[in-house]
Each structure stands twice: as C-alpha cells, then as structure tokens.
Amino acid sequence: MTFQEALKACNLVAILRGIKPEEAESVGEVLVEAGWRIIEVPLNSPDPLKSIEKLVKRFGDQALIGAGTVLTPAQVADVAATGAKVIISPNANVEVIKASRAAGMVSLPGVATPTEAFAAIEAGASGIKAFPAEAIPPYVIKAWKAVLPKDIPVLAVGGVTPENMAVYAQAGTAGFGIGSSLYKPGADLASIGQKAREFIDAMRAL
C-alpha cells in the first residue's frame, strides 16, 4: 500500500503516544478493523521500536506503520530496520527528511510556516503536517495551499476533533493526525474503538 493509497482509503493517522509493546497488536487490530490505514508510534513511547515491529509484522500488509517524533537520521535508520514505512517528525529537519527518503520511506515533517514547508518539500518531504494545527487556523492552511505544490498533501495534526475536521478539510487539508483524542495510555479497547469509529464517520461526512 502506497502513501497515496492509504490516504485515499482513510486520511487519518493514528498517533499512539505512550503505547506499550504488549498493547500494540490489540490496539492496532481495533484501528485496522475500524478502517484506519496509517498508524504511528512516537519514539518517546515505552520501547517504541518493539511496538512498531509488532505492528509491522501483524498489520504491515493492511496499513502503513511508522514512527513519530523522529528527530535524527540515526533514529530513521533504527525505524527502517523494523520494516516500518513512515517517518513523522514534529519539525522540519532536512537531514531527517533526506535520510527517510533515501531509505525509501514516507517523510512527513512538521511545519508551522510557508518557509519551513517549502524547505521540507525541497528536501524531499512526501507531505507536510501543519503542527500544532490548533495554532494554525484553517484560513492559514488555505493560504499555504494557494502557493504549495498541488501534489503535496498537508495534514493537520494537533487539536483535531471530529467537530473541527470539516473546516480544515474545506481549507484544503488532505488528512489528519489524531493523538490524545483517539488514544491515551491505559484506555480500554472499547473506548478506543468507539473513538476510532467516530473519526471514521466524521471523515466520511466530509
């Protein structure tokens, strides 16, 4: 599954910050069954590479699995060794972007200004994430979209809820990263599943 295919199937990225390896498969199963096709484990989670390995082994043929909060090229290499396909960062580190693309991986760096966005794209970013979206109003993203390359998707990440997805989509956002609104450490599977379906319903209503 390519990044474009995954976005077309479901333009939501599950951010599982704080997940433990023993939870990874059960939470992944709930998300994949609900229709999610991109799952991120931030590297500041407990033993993140083990969680990523488990998700890749179990769901790698059904979803794109990746790492978030990736800050260095060395971390890119560690994630690549798990078989993961996506590198997501909170910033636009050019060396991380280049290392990700050199490893054949999707690169989604975080940006907050047009200058950062263009620098990330020039370095080879597959898409960019407007982060934190709660500090970047939809009209700002709409202005970005007027000048950014049309084939570069912009994902809104940070503060996204089922209630505010529509206004970001209307501004030209191609997808959304969902963190604590979907998953928090210790949450039960039924709650995660309900939230996962609520976001899917909101996406389909766009």
Side-chain angles (χ1 to χ4, degrees), residues 21-80:
E22 56 266 29
E23 302 174 84
E25 289 186 68
S26 57
V27 172
E29 185 171 5
V30 167
L31 295 172
V32 171
E33 285 185 354
W36 295 60
R37 292 295 176 262
I38 307 175
I39 300 174
E40 164 197 341
V41 176
L43 290 186
N44 55 1
S45 303
D47 206 351
L49 295 176
K50 184 173 289 186
S51 292
I52 293 169
E53 285 177 352
K54 288 189 170 188
L55 289 168
V56 168
K57 185 175 180 179
R58 177 77 181 275
F59 306 107
D61 60 343
Q62 302 172 67
L64 292 182
I65 310 299
T69 318
V70 181
L71 304 177
T72 68
Q75 289 177 329
V76 172
D78 290 340
V79 175

Side-chain angles (χ1 to χ4, degrees), residues 50-127:
K50 184 173 289 186
S51 292
I52 293 169
E53 285 177 352
K54 288 189 170 188
L55 289 168
V56 168
K57 185 175 180 179
R58 177 77 181 275
F59 306 107
D61 60 343
Q62 302 172 67
L64 292 182
I65 310 299
T69 318
V70 181
L71 304 177
T72 68
Q75 289 177 329
V76 172
D78 290 340
V79 175
T82 69
K85 302 297 184 185
V86 184
I87 295 293
I88 303 176
S89 302
N91 59 344
N93 184 315
V94 168
E95 296 307 314
V96 168
I97 297 168
K98 290 180 177 179
S100 302
R101 297 316 306 271
M105 303 173 80
V106 173
S107 171
L108 298 174
V111 306
T113 68
T115 298
E116 292 177 341
F118 277 106
I121 293 166
E122 184 176 354
S126 312

